[in-house]
Amino acid sequence: MAGNGSATNAPGHLPLYQVRGLKVALPDLAAKPLFGPPPRIDILTGLDFDIEQGTALGIVGGSGSGKSTLGRALLRLIEPTGGTIRFAGTDITHLDETGLRPLRKRFHMIFQDPMSSLNPRRRVGAIIADPLHLHGFDRVRERVGEALDHVGLGRAFAARYPHELSGGQRQRVGIARAIALEPEFILADEIVSGLDVSSQAQVLNLLERLVAELGLTLAFISHDLSVIRRLCSEVMVLHRGQIVEHAPVGEVFAEPRAAYTRQLLDAIPLPDPDQPGW
Amino acid sequence: MSAFLEIEGLSAVLAGTGARLLRSVSLAVDTGEVRGLVGESGAGKSMIGKAVLGILPKAVRVAEGAIRLDGHDLLAMRPADRRRLIGSVAALIPQDPLTALNPSKRIGPQITDRLVDILGWGKADAQARALELLGEVHIEDPERVIGRYPHELSGGMRQRILIASAFAAEPRLIIADEPTTALDVTVQKQILKLIGEMQAHHGTALVFVTHDLGVVSKVCQSLSVLYAGKVVEDARVADFFAAPRHAYSRALLAATPKYTDPAASLQPVDPSVIEAVTAEVAVADREWIHGR
Amino acid sequence: MLSGSLSVLLLRIVLGRLATMAITLFGVAVIVFVVIRVVPGNPVAMMLPPGATEADIARLNALYGLDKSIPEQFVIWLGGVVQGDFGTSISTRQPVLDLVLGRLPATLELSIFALVLAVIIGGVMALTGTRFRGTRTEGAVDVANGVGLSVPDFLWGLVFILLFGVLWPIFHISGRISPALDLPFVTQFYVFESIVRLRFDLWWDLLTHMFMPALALAIPLAAIISQLLKQSLKETMHLDYVVLARTKGYGENRVIVGEALRNAVLPTLTLIGVQFTFLIGGTVIIERLFSYEGLGNMAIDAVINRDLPLIQGIVIVFALIFTVVNLIVDMLYAVLNPRLRHA
Amino acid sequence: MLDGRAAVRRRINARLWLSGGWLALLAIVALLAPWLAPKDPLAQDLFAARLPPFWMAGAEPGFWLGTDSLGRDVLSRIMHGARIALAVALVAGIATCLIGSALGLVAGFMRGWADRIISRLVDIWMAFPPVLFAILLIAVLGTGLHSIIIAIVVIDWTRFCRVVRAEALNQSAMDYVASAKVAGRTRLSIMVREILPNVLPTIVALVTLEMGIAVIVEAILSFVNLSISTDAPTWGGMIAEGRISIHQAWWVLVFPLVTLFLTVLSFSQFGEGLKDHFDPVLR
């Protein structure tokens, strides 16, 4: 696959994602008046940031911070209400599905709930092969096998149904589906929050390895700063639909600038009975 | 002098298959002690609390062992008597504050229903007690809150109310079943501090069920590490975090995230550790079957 | 007693529903108007003696407005309806409204009696199945639900006629009230009026006539209520607040009724609304089967007699009842659901 | 949990075999009725009227389940009635399913104006009492097999539409749909390839249920004398006749009634069984 065109065009220095003034408002159906459309709640209120090639960006925030909405907007699962999103130089803010289709093999997503994100009526092999067929890849069987090998499941898993797998295994299938396309960018939305610590560590290590091996650009959404510390090179802290801090990971943990970031860090219970502040 | 809660050789099996879910669990929690039960999903940590409170799922049966609460052998009691005893000396703080309050009842009665219906308090006394408890859990304007319905309050507020409700009858044992798993990390800290504060104030024995060793290090004095329904390590918290004895405990601790030491944390569990602890469980099972 | 915020909420629901109700009723009127006017065979011709001339037919056609185009007829009819005039029945030459209002109470009494039976039977079965879950009793409830759901009211009616009308004749299987009785009633709501007049002999006679058709109508609805409520209870029984109630020292019965039931009823309620309209729709054939003098029985006669104005009137009345039932269910839901009441 | 699943599976299988067995028997009888039936279902013999079934005094050999008031053989009429019943069930059931499911799928997945129009139509349809609507349609269309099938389709498409719409709405919220969208599938192909397979078990259960309902509607229409011809051997027509002579000859009512009862029950149980059978989680 010769998909990495923009990576070689170094002189222009084009970030993979350029986001300017991004706003998303969703209709509030609970407050729908008798007549007329429901009011809209602002989820994201004007975000500006870039994601450079090859970075692993951690996006962190509490519930209701808008982090998942941001992820879905980056992949154009929802259409922003304002601002622009450029992917590799192309303005995708309001592109329709036909226009997005050629780009869809260049960015992909791993979902939070692996059970709901895998079609229960299809076998693992078909689930991974589906996007490959769609984008006209050759040697699909082989690629599915390679992807399964990559995530450490082995090719025999292609014949299984999602409900026959454990939570950690399902999440690996989600990862295999995403990497099989050899995309440039992968968005991981809270992919370890439902897993046990041991599976969580395995999935994170796997992802860390794949990012390095495949030269992926990664956006990793999580509520857990500890996990981001391990995996990411940059952190973006969201609070009530705004970026309160966006900096290299070392800086944020050594010297958090925003009060909210400090609050988050202080609240994490370290496995250490003598942690100060507790 | 025996501990307030004593569990001895407790085994629970899945009806039908006979598979053991709890494997000869023994532990003791004394008045004023906070004990953590730690393990991954399926380790049986919640099952222990449910067995004590008599709320095991229908498909699960206690096969042998004893649970003594304040000297009473729970498993030997008539169900109605046991229910009454548990209702008056023990309480549960459940996991999910969003589903743990009855959506069609006001807050006040949900805090005091046990006092009125089981312990025979008068309505006015119960109401006064509810207000006092809401003050203790730092809820402002308790008069207003007792008339509210659960959906009108935030998750953190609801968890405070559940804590208040748990302490309503001055129980001597509280079982907290992953009480902060559903909360944001900043709210979690407040709630953990509150539970610790209430426990110290009332001198209650507290069993704290969690998957998070970080949380254990903050609220517990002792802990039991479970794997596949078996206690693999039983230790004081300070000793445990200084040097866990069991290989599985060490692996679990190494897998726990720790942002101050990213390279050493989030280590995948080595398959050999799982093999070893599984073998240990299998040996224990063989001995158990042999002994019966 | 309604609190201020509750009556505002109910008013909002009524106002919100009015527009869709009007559209629905208008749609029903258009469809029935068009459908029955493609009926082959001239209804007027059937009314006249064999020797009638073309001119006689034309005159009667003009009298009933049947010589105009369908849109014109519709506008004229709609204009009348707005003023409370549903036209004149072709077969009986009485005002349609009088005929419909004369029969409607019988059908309403039958439907409501059936609803009460269904709620009682279904509720008891659901609670029994929940109380004894995991035992043979629950299995029996499930089997009963399955059979009750599969077999429609028409077949239950026939089975009852056979069992309790012929083999073991303990109930009446024909009519609304014994013809030999003297009727002092001034309204058509016989059951209601017999209670008001303290004529319990008449009340009992009415009930024994209604019991079989009402039970036939009630069984499928009872099975649905039982199944949905039991399922809903089952889900609710696993929720944390129910588990929590057990640890407080409450027994099984109190946990089911005191904690789970009210919340389990809510999702069931919305579905019962639609199902109740099916029950009312079922009265058409059940009344025929049991020769019960209600609206449905009259409707079948009207179709057989090609009595266009009467058919229109009956269909509109049924549609009106259905939409009102749905409205009431919505309001009931709002009253019972604290999330809506205290938003 | 494995044992629980095994128990559920056993129950599903018993249900499938019992109901499927009855339906298969019925299908064979319907196909071979002209050869299997002992008598001509239309042959009248007033001297052999109201003969009782074979085990009762006064029975005539050859008339196994007795005769009706016109001396027609009850067993032969039930067998020939199965032809009509199953023909109506099959054609009406499938046609209703195709139309209703397609509309429901479009409304539930595509949403927007299509959903608004379809849902409004369903609302209007739900405001008709179905039996009265059926009778009215037959009055308009004239009696006959075609009319019955058309009437059933016109009335009952809403059942599929409502259920499939709700199910499609549920499925649309699942992340596997978002995932297919991320992969670049078109909306139409997501609907057909991702949603439809997950809605299919519901549709299968509904279609057999609908077949049972079609049999009942045919019987009801025959009962009010609006089905095919008064002479034709339909279960509903036999029941109508049996209802009148119930005190003189109960067998004229009982045998077709039992057949109808078992058939309707089997159709719905067969559908439920199939639905669970194809559930990958239970399998």
Side-chain angles (χ1 to χ4, degrees):
Chain A
M1 271 301 296
N4 289 349
S6 48
T8 49
N9 298 341
H13 182 72
L14 194 61
L16 189 60
Y17 266 105
Q18 271 182 309
V19 177
R20 294 292 174 269
L22 177 65
K23 285 184 188 165
V24 175
L26 297 174
D28 180 8
L29 294 173
K32 189 185 182 312
L34 265 183
F35 304 101
R40 297 176 85 87
I41 329 173
D42 295 320
I43 309 287
L44 300 175
T45 57
L47 308 188
D48 299 288
F49 62 93
D50 292 342
I51 304 177
E52 299 286 347
Q53 288 284 351
T55 49
L57 171 68
I59 301 174
V60 75
S63 52
S65 61
K67 54 186 192 300
S68 283
T69 307
L70 171 59
R72 291 190 178 227
L74 288 177
L75 289 203
R76 276 303 316 283
L77 280 172
I78 47 181
E79 192 174 342
T81 32
T84 57
I85 302 175
R86 289 175 172 277
F87 176 79
T90 315
D91 186 344
I92 61 167
T93 323
H94 303 290
L95 219 52
D96 62 9
E97 276 306 318
T98 326
L100 282 168
R101 199 153 302 127
L103 292 168
R104 289 260 181 232
K105 71 178 168 202
R106 300 175 62 184
F107 46 70
H108 216 282
M109 175 167 181
I110 311 166
F111 292 84
Q112 171 172 12
D113 175 6
M115 192 71 220
S116 135
S117 69
L118 304 177
N119 191 330
R121 300 211 167 249
R122 305 183 118 185
R123 290 174 201 273
V124 165
I127 288 171
I128 300 174
D130 195 49
L132 296 172
H133 285 301
L134 219 52
H135 291 289
F137 280 73
D138 55 350
R139 308 186 296 115
V140 168
R141 272 182 72 91
E142 254 168 86
R143 285 172 193 273
V144 170
E146 284 164 20
L148 282 169
D149 284 342
H150 252 312
V151 297
L153 283 177
R155 300 179 181 224
F157 274 79
R160 303 235 197 143
Y161 281 99
H163 72 270
E164 298 171 324
L165 310 180
S166 73
Q169 288 171 334
R170 279 181 210 138
Q171 205 50 288
R172 284 156 188 254
V173 172
I175 296 173
R177 170 170 61 187
I179 61 164
L181 277 171
E182 301 173 26
E184 292 152 64
F185 174 79
I186 286 184
L187 176 90
D189 185 1
E190 294 266 19
I191 61 167
V192 292
S193 63
L195 303 180
D196 275 328
V197 265
S198 59
S199 332
Q200 166 177 310
Q202 279 173 347
V203 168
L204 286 173
N205 276 271
L206 169 69
L207 200 60
E208 194 175 32
R209 204 189 74 220
L210 289 173
V211 167
E213 275 176 21
L214 306 174
L216 287 170
T217 306
L218 176 74
F220 187 89
I221 297 175
S222 177
H223 65 278
D224 188 347
L225 269 169
S226 305
V227 170
I228 284 176
R229 174 76 180 106
R230 169 65 187 269
L231 188 69
C232 300
S233 52
E234 275 180 35
V235 191
M236 188 163 94
V237 183
L238 280 184
H239 187 48
R240 296 192 181 142
Q242 284 184 315
I243 300 174
V244 295
E245 183 151 9
H246 180 183
V249 74
E251 278 178 39
V252 171
F253 282 84
E255 244 181 292
R257 270 180 307 228
Y260 180 69
T261 316
R262 267 198 300 282
Q263 225 182 322
L264 273 183
L265 273 176
D266 285 345
I268 296 173
L270 293 172
D272 169 9
D274 304 318
Q275 188 185 357
W278 271 80
Chain B
M1 173 68 207
S2 57
F4 185 72
L5 168 69
E6 281 183 322
I7 299 175
E8 252 183 51
L10 183 69
S11 287
V13 298
L14 192 62
T17 64
R20 277 212 292 174
L21 301 174
L22 289 179
R23 299 177 144 91
S24 310
V25 170
S26 295
L27 53 89
V29 191
D30 222 334
T31 305
E33 181 187 350
V34 184
R35 170 170 289 269
L37 299 184
V38 193
E40 300 199 280
S41 52
K45 52 190 192 301
S46 293
M47 198 76 74
I48 295 173
K50 288 187 173 137
V52 172
L53 294 171
I55 49 173
L56 283 173
K58 289 219 160 185
V60 180
R61 191 168 55 78
V62 171
E64 66 175 22
I67 304 173
R68 273 188 293 278
L69 191 62
D70 200 13
H72 301 272
D73 184 351
L74 286 186
L75 300 178
M77 291 171 82
R78 290 210 333 245
D81 295 341
R82 182 172 62 193
R83 233 172 27 226
R84 190 163 290 273
L85 174 71
I86 290 170
S88 53
V89 305
L92 169 72
I93 302 178
Q95 175 172 11
D96 185 358
L98 299 184
T99 60
L101 288 167
N102 191 330
S104 62
K105 289 186 171 175
R106 292 176 197 273
I107 296 299
Q110 300 205 50
I111 296 176
T112 58
D113 49 4
R114 169 195 339 235
L115 300 178
V116 176
D117 297 333
I118 307 292
L119 302 175
W121 287 37
K123 284 247 154 107
D125 290 349
Q127 165 106 350
R129 174 75 175 145
L131 293 174
E132 181 192 354
L133 283 162
L134 286 175
E136 273 188 43
V137 296
H138 311 299
I139 282 180
E140 286 168 26
D141 203 357
E143 283 87 357
R144 203 175 50 91
V145 170
I146 54 168
R148 288 284 149 116
Y149 284 92
H151 71 270
E152 299 173 277
L153 307 173
S154 71
M157 284 271 266
R158 289 190 226 182
Q159 194 55 284
R160 281 168 195 277
I161 284 156
L162 287 164
I163 292 168
S165 165
F167 281 93
E170 290 290 356
R172 297 174 60 201
L173 169 72
I174 285 193
I175 291 175
D177 189 359
E178 304 249 14
T180 56
T181 307
L183 302 173
D184 268 350
V185 61
T186 47
V187 184
Q188 161 171 286
K189 184 173 180 180
Q190 297 164 7
I191 296 295
L192 289 179
K193 291 201 155 203
L194 176 66
I195 291 176
E197 193 182 303
M198 293 287 283
Q199 184 271 334
H201 179 68
H202 295 264
T204 326
L206 174 61
V207 174
F208 199 102
V209 178
T210 179
H211 66 277
D212 188 345
L213 279 170
V215 169
V216 170
S217 77
K218 298 295 165 283
V219 293
C220 303
Q221 290 137 20
S222 56
L223 82 163
S224 304
V225 180
L226 287 127
Y227 179 82
K230 185 177 186 306
V231 178
V232 297
E233 178 160 0
D234 189 333
R236 309 283 312 159
V237 159
D239 303 339
F240 180 88
F241 286 96
R245 291 194 309 274
H246 197 278
Y248 177 72
S249 309
R250 280 196 293 277
L252 210 55
L253 191 55
T256 304
K258 190 174 181 185
Y259 68 87
T260 50
D261 192 0
S265 69
L266 285 164
Q267 299 292 327
V269 176
D270 196 271
S272 68
V273 174
I274 299 295
E275 277 164 33
V277 69
T278 311
E280 207 178 302
V281 166
V283 168
D285 270 3
R286 267 200 299 281
E287 284 170 8
W288 184 66
I289 292 166
H290 228 70
R292 280 159 68 90
Chain C
M1 210 188 68
L2 299 183
S3 69
S5 67
L6 184 56
S7 35
V8 169
L9 177 65
L10 295 183
L11 192 68
R12 273 179 55 130
I13 291 173
V14 172
L15 289 177
R17 272 279 191 160
L18 274 183
T20 54
M21 280 172 74
I23 295 171
T24 302
L25 290 176
F26 186 80
V28 168
V30 170
I31 290 170
V32 72
F33 211 84
V34 172
V35 165
I36 60 178
R37 271 162 184 73
V38 262
V39 173
N42 189 334
V44 171
M46 299 197 314
M47 294 164 49
L48 293 167
T53 61
E54 289 288 315
D56 292 335
I57 294 174
R59 214 176 55 239
L60 255 163
N61 263 338
L63 183 67
Y64 284 102
L66 295 172
D67 53 343
K68 299 194 175 63
S69 73
I70 293 179
E72 268 181 281
Q73 291 184 40
F74 185 71
V75 171
I76 293 169
W77 176 79
L78 201 64
V81 167
V82 172
Q83 295 163 28
D85 173 14
F86 281 79
T88 308
S89 158
I90 294 177
S91 54
T92 66
R93 290 162 221 214
Q94 283 174 287
V96 167
L97 193 62
D98 294 355
L99 288 172
V100 169
L101 288 183
R103 287 292 188 94
L104 183 60
T107 299
L108 284 182
E109 282 188 345
L110 179 64
S111 306
I112 291 168
F113 185 43
L115 177 66
V116 171
L117 283 179
V119 169
I120 293 171
I121 298 171
V124 167
M125 297 230 308
L127 288 172
T128 312
T130 307
R131 178 64 184 81
F132 300 100
R133 54 191 181 288
T135 67
R136 279 168 196 283
T137 311
E138 188 193 7
V141 167
D142 285 340
V143 170
N145 285 347
V147 175
L149 278 171
S150 309
V151 179
D153 43 18
F154 175 62
L155 281 188
W156 289 121
L158 286 166
V159 170
F160 291 154
I161 285 177
L162 207 60
L163 292 183
F164 302 110
V166 179
L167 282 182
W168 186 34
I170 50 171
F171 290 105
H172 298 280
I173 54 165
S174 179
R176 189 183 181 194
I177 194 161
S178 299
L181 292 172
D182 256 350
L183 301 183
F185 301 131
V186 293
T187 72
Q188 293 291 322
F189 288 96
Y190 289 177
V191 176
F192 177 74
E193 211 182 326
S194 65
I195 296 173
V196 173
R197 291 176 186 273
L198 304 177
R199 288 289 304 272
F200 292 106
D201 55 330
L202 293 180
W203 180 76
W204 183 248
D205 188 72
L206 285 162
L207 241 49
T208 50
H209 275 87
M210 260 164 63
F211 190 68
M212 285 289 100
L215 193 63
L217 288 166
I219 285 180
L221 180 59
I224 288 171
I225 292 176
S226 170
Q227 197 193 37
L228 290 176
L229 186 60
K230 180 164 162 282
Q231 179 62 30
S232 182
L233 272 169
K234 198 169 209 159
E235 282 159 18
T236 312
M237 293 297 281
H238 288 297
L239 291 180
D240 282 351
Y241 64 82
V242 177
V243 176
L244 195 60
R246 290 176 192 284
T247 70
K248 289 176 179 175
Y250 292 117
E252 182 75 14
N253 293 340
R254 164 72 199 251
V255 166
I256 294 174
V257 177
E259 296 289 329
L261 185 59
R262 179 158 178 179
N263 298 300
V265 162
L266 276 177
T268 317
L269 183 66
T270 40
L271 291 157
I272 291 176
V274 177
Q275 298 299 331
F276 182 48
T277 64
F278 290 162
L279 185 154
I280 300 173
T283 59
V284 173
I285 192 69
I286 289 297
E287 286 180 0
R288 190 69 169 184
L289 195 56
F290 288 90
S291 314
Y292 185 89
E293 297 100 9
L295 201 53
N297 210 343
M298 185 164 79
I300 293 179
D301 286 332
V303 175
I304 290 170
N305 295 334
R306 304 274 192 275
D307 192 340
L308 309 192
L310 189 54
I311 297 172
Q312 277 157 211
I314 293 172
V315 171
I316 292 292
V317 166
F318 269 116
L320 186 67
I321 295 173
F322 289 4
T323 50
V324 169
V325 165
N326 283 320
L327 178 67
I328 291 171
V329 168
D330 278 2
M331 290 164 70
L332 215 55
Y333 188 85
V335 171
L336 289 177
N337 190 348
R339 275 172 216 269
L340 287 178
R341 207 155 20 119
H342 300 268
Chain D
M1 305 292 143
L2 282 170
D3 62 321
R5 272 201 335 226
V8 170
R9 254 203 311 270
R10 265 201 306 279
R11 212 162 54 211
I12 292 170
N13 280 335
R15 195 158 66 167
L16 263 182
W17 281 112
L18 282 175
S19 56
W22 173 258
L23 292 176
L25 178 74
L26 212 61
I28 291 169
V29 167
L31 279 176
L32 304 179
W35 297 278
L36 288 180
K39 305 277 172 189
D40 178 353
L42 302 178
Q44 302 184 6
D45 180 357
L46 291 177
F47 295 105
R50 290 185 182 149
L51 291 177
F54 68 90
W55 66 84
M56 286 171 64
E60 294 254 346
F63 296 98
W64 292 102
L65 301 181
T67 60
D68 64 11
S69 55
L70 296 174
R72 295 174 297 192
D73 180 41
V74 168
L75 177 61
S76 303
R77 283 179 77 75
I78 288 178
M79 287 174 136
H80 280 266
R83 290 169 85 90
I84 296 169
L86 288 192
V88 170
L90 234 53
V91 179
I94 290 169
T96 314
C97 167
L98 290 179
I99 294 171
S101 303
L103 288 173
L105 202 56
V106 167
F109 181 68
M110 297 295 187
R111 311 299 312 273
W113 57 266
D115 184 25
R116 278 199 292 279
I117 292 175
I118 292 170
S119 295
R120 178 66 53 225
L121 271 181
V122 170
D123 276 354
I124 292 173
W125 246 254
M126 301 286 289
F128 277 102
V131 173
L132 182 55
F133 200 8
I135 293 169
L136 199 56
L137 283 172
I138 296 297
V140 172
L141 298 166
T143 54
L145 209 52
H146 287 100
S147 307
I148 293 173
I149 289 168
I150 292 171
I152 291 171
V153 175
V154 167
I155 292 159
D156 256 0
W157 64 273
T158 54
R159 185 192 316 276
F160 285 86
C161 190
R162 280 182 306 137
V163 177
V164 171
R165 175 180 178 273
E167 191 60 31
L169 265 178
N170 277 343
Q171 295 294 334
S172 303
M174 303 289 268
D175 272 342
Y176 71 80
V177 174
S179 178
K181 204 174 163 193
V182 169
R185 274 207 177 283
T186 60
R187 284 170 66 74
L188 187 68
S189 94
I190 291 177
M191 186 172 88
V192 176
R193 305 247 337 212
E194 305 281 341
I195 305 269
L196 186 59
N198 282 290
V199 180
L200 210 53
T202 310
I203 295 180
V204 168
L206 270 182
V207 79
T208 55
L209 184 74
E210 184 63 40
M211 288 179 182
I213 289 167
V215 173
I216 283 289
V217 172
E218 190 275 319
I220 287 176
L221 291 171
S222 303
F223 183 79
V224 293
N225 239 334
L226 279 170
S227 176
I228 303 183
S229 72
T230 37
D231 220 23
T234 62
W235 294 345
M238 296 175 76
I239 288 170
E241 218 229 288
R243 167 81 175 88
I244 296 165
S245 56
I246 189 164
H247 293 281
Q248 297 84 32
W250 53 265
W251 52 89
V252 185
L253 175 61
V254 168
F255 294 119
L257 181 56
V258 169
T259 314
L260 186 56
F261 198 96
L262 287 178
T263 307
V264 171
L265 193 60
S266 295
F267 267 124
S268 91
Q269 294 304 308
F270 191 65
E272 286 295 316
L274 274 186
K275 180 184 174 186
D276 293 343
H277 186 72
F278 287 124
D279 187 332
V281 180
L282 279 171
R283 185 159 52 184

